[in-house]
Amino acid sequence: MRIAIAGAGNVGRSIAQELIGNGHEVMLIERQPRQLCPERVPEARWVLADACELSSLEDADLAGCDVVVAATGDDKANLVVSLLAKTEFAVPRVVARVNRAENEWLFNEQWGVDVSVSKPRLMAALVEEAVTVGDLVRLMTFRQGEANLVEITLPKNAPYEGQPVRSVPMPRDAALVAILRGKRVVVPTPDDPLEAGDELIFVCTAEVEDQVRAVVLGSD
């Protein structure tokens, strides 16, 4: 894919390096000359420009990109970049970084954002995942809240402890996608038994999260 990243700070450069390592073509757009460091990611195309200016994005051929990542440290700039990418250049996929948790509600399809990544929310979710047993923890949201990645650490004496996956009556729009057991990642099959301490990873819609919790942990 051809991917444009607005913001060439530590976050933008790190994303670029990962994407280039996966075989994608990356363009980094940065408005601060002091942040323009092509030697740090030499495989990327570097553009000195303001990604909030329409003319700059036209010169950079943003319309030819498959994905735009708004990765600056300024939420206002990320929203403007997202809106321009989607409405003026019809970029199929726009991913935006959320720096301040109180601004998260703005990062939606009305601003051209397909996927928002909130560092404060993600860090809080990872803390909860590390310490919470016997409750559902939301790790990540996909497709503007239509689906979530959630985790439940199975406590002792849970209703289906020791029973195979096929015995768990999962609600519609929910799927058990992985079991983290110690240092292992288990791709669940119908015959795999559930063990106390298993970290169960589900993809489900927000509407059925309570049903998933009730099935796995018991209705109480």
Side-chain angles (χ1 to χ4, degrees):
M1 294 186 297
R2 185 166 183 261
I3 302 166
I5 301 173
N10 291 331
V11 173
R13 292 196 305 269
S14 297
I15 296 170
Q17 289 170 336
E18 289 287 333
L19 292 171
I20 290 169
N22 289 331
H24 301 295
E25 180 185 345
V26 174
M27 172 174 60
L28 279 162
I29 305 173
E30 175 57 52
R31 68 183 181 89
Q32 297 285 355
R34 59 185 175 82
Q35 292 277 30
L36 210 67
C37 306
E39 69 279 2
R40 295 196 178 183
V41 192
E43 301 89 347
R45 174 190 171 196
W46 288 73
V47 176
L48 179 61
D50 188 343
C52 293
E53 291 185 358
L54 187 60
S55 58
S56 297
L57 299 180
E58 288 175 344
D59 292 341
D61 189 25
L62 206 72
C65 292
D66 302 293
V67 181
V68 165
V69 181
T72 79
D74 185 335
D75 284 345
K76 296 187 294 295
N78 289 342
L79 286 171
V80 171
V81 171
S82 298
L83 186 63
L84 290 175
K86 184 64 71 174
T87 60
E88 298 295 329
F89 299 96
V91 176
R93 190 76 165 170
V94 177
V95 180
R97 169 188 177 187
V98 184
N99 295 279
R100 299 179 65 86
E102 61 266 29
N103 296 331
E104 189 173 359
W105 66 278
L106 288 165
F107 285 74
N108 55 35
E109 58 187 5
Q110 292 181 331
W111 278 94
V113 178
D114 294 305
V115 178
S116 63
V117 181
S118 171
K119 292 172 64 179
R121 179 179 290 277
L122 181 58
M123 292 184 70
L126 292 174
V127 170
E128 287 188 285
E129 184 271 335
V131 302
T132 302
V133 176
D135 201 1
L136 182 145
V137 177
R138 184 180 296 175
L139 300 177
M140 191 173 293
T141 297
F142 305 105
R143 296 183 60 82
Q144 294 300 326
E146 293 177 19
N148 297 318
L149 187 71
V150 302
E151 183 267 352
I152 298 176
T153 299
L154 199 67
K156 290 183 178 180
N157 303 318
Y160 295 96
E161 180 193 358
Q163 298 190 38
V165 169
R166 66 172 176 272
S167 66
V168 183
M170 293 303 301
R172 186 179 179 181
D173 296 329
L176 176 62
V177 295
I179 301 172
L180 308 184
R181 183 173 293 156
K183 295 183 178 180
R184 295 180 57 211
V185 177
V186 178
V187 179
T189 67
D191 295 325
D192 285 319
L194 300 180
E195 300 177 5
D198 282 352
E199 295 184 51
L200 309 180
I201 309 297
F202 300 89
V203 174
C204 64
T205 61
E207 289 76 13
V208 302
E209 284 184 359
D210 288 341
Q211 296 177 49
V212 172
R213 181 189 290 109
V215 167
V216 176
L217 301 173
S219 58
D220 292 341

